[in-house]
């Protein structure tokens, strides 16, 4: 690894407009950690690579791994209808048509509940017609996951069960959380902690117990496509709106350890890992057509597998080479920095290019 190039690439992300960015890259026995910018715009306190961070939908890989551990134990069938386990949440023919696998790989056809829980986002994916008001309205709201699931299940379907391309939906992973609770007798968070987080030996990873991030952390600055100007800090937030779908807190070091172990067969069995890497085509939250497996997706190429995640004000991307030779994780304390053009589409921003350049370098290539 060229540490000087990694330092420069990370600094370029900060200079492009992110208040603070931090990352870790591992290649065999070599470890590089870096940070650039500030954790707090008002005080100027610097960001640090050891900081804990809300990692958003990276949580989905942990949840998927926990489900597969239960599959290995014989408590869950990957191709068993979800209606077999949770008939009251997905009733009737729909519950018999949607399998556990379809929830994990987003081919269930179930709609995203978020625009129904956050009324100012009801026009999503028409970004120009959304407003960020609901972010403040629900900062301290304690959502009931069953009610959120009902919003997604009750909304018009976005596809047929098992059909492709699937559509990325957090409703799927809230259902997986209820499934884990159903078959284990405890909460999904307890199951994921025991079977995945503790199994991987992650000391700085866990689900939030309140609205704050415990330990050293950065503030999280949300712009909502220029509609929040200046960007507002949402680091204090009740994360029950996503639960086992996207509420996990971790560090870049823990994420690298997790993905490295997962791709090496240290979390789930080789057979389960092969299932995780079987991809289908789905439409991402950004409206892009991507390949997606069971809580994993290829990053840039099939040499690297991982997951990205966003929360209000924060973003994360973590991945590992399939051969275990390299891992990287990067976290930013800003989100949705792109302005919208006249048609409501996000315009390119220098941050996008700088992040892409760092990612290529972190994976062992050269920035273009």
């Amino acid at each position: 690894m060229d540490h000087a190039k990694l330092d420069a690439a990370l600094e370029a992300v900060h200079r492009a407009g992110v208040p603070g960015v931090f990352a870790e890259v591992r290649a065999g026995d070599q470890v590089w950690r870096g940070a650039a910018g500030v954790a707090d715009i008002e005080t100027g306190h610097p960001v640090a690579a050891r900081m804990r961070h809300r990692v958003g939908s990276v949580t989905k890989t942990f949840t998927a791994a926990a489900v597969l551990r239960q599959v290995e134990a014989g408590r869950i069938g990957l191709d068993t209808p979800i209606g077999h386990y949770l008939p009251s949440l997905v009733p009737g023919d729909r519950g018999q048509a949607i399998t556990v696998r379809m929830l994990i790989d987003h081919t269930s056809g179930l709609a995203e509940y978020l625009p129904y829980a956050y009324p100012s986002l009801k026009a999503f994916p028409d970004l120009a017609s959304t407003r960020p008001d609901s972010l403040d309205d629900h900062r301290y709201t304690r959502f009931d996951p069953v009610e959120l699931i009902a919003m997604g299940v009750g909304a018009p379907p976005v596809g047929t069960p098992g059909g492709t391309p699937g559509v990325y939906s957090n409703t799927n992973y809230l259902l997986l959380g209820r499934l884990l609770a159903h078959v284990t007798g405890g909460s999904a968070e307890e199951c994921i902690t025991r079977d995945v987080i503790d199994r991987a030996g992650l000391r700085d990873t866990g689900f939030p117990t309140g609205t704050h991030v415990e330990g050293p952390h950065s503030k999280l600055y949300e712009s909502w496509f220029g509609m929040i100007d200046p960007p507002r800090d949402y680091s204090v937030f009740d994360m029950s709106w996503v639960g086992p779908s996207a509420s996990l807190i971790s560090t870049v070091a823990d994420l690298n350890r997790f993905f490295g172990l997962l791709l090496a067969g240290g979390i789930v069995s080789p057979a389960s890992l092969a299932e995780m890497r079987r991809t289908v085509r789905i439409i991402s939250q950004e409206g892009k057509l991507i390949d997606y497996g069971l809580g994993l997706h290829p990053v840039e190429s099939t040499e690297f597998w991982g997951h990205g995640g966003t929360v209000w004000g924060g973003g994360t991307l973590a991945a590992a080479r399939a051969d275990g030779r390299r891992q990287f994780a990067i976290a930013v304390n800003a989100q949705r920095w792109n302005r919208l053009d006249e048609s409501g589409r996000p315009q390119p921003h220098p941050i996008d290019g700088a992040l892409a350049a760092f990612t290529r370098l972190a994976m062992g290539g050269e920035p273009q």
Side-chain angles (χ1 to χ4, degrees), residues 287-310:
K288 299 177 180 177
L289 199 60
I290 65 170
D291 294 317
Y292 195 93
L294 300 186
L296 270 181
H297 62 78
V299 178
E300 297 288 335
S301 73
T302 53
E303 287 187 354
F304 279 82
W305 292 78
H307 212 291
T310 68

Side-chain angles (χ1 to χ4, degrees), residues 292-340:
Y292 195 93
L294 300 186
L296 270 181
H297 62 78
V299 178
E300 297 288 335
S301 73
T302 53
E303 287 187 354
F304 279 82
W305 292 78
H307 212 291
T310 68
V311 293
W312 311 135
T316 309
L317 176 63
R321 267 183 67 144
D323 61 10
R325 291 170 55 188
R326 199 174 184 101
Q327 302 89 40
F328 77 92
I330 181 171
V332 295
N333 64 0
Q335 202 54 224
R336 282 162 284 273
W337 46 75
N338 307 81
R339 300 278 175 155
L340 303 178

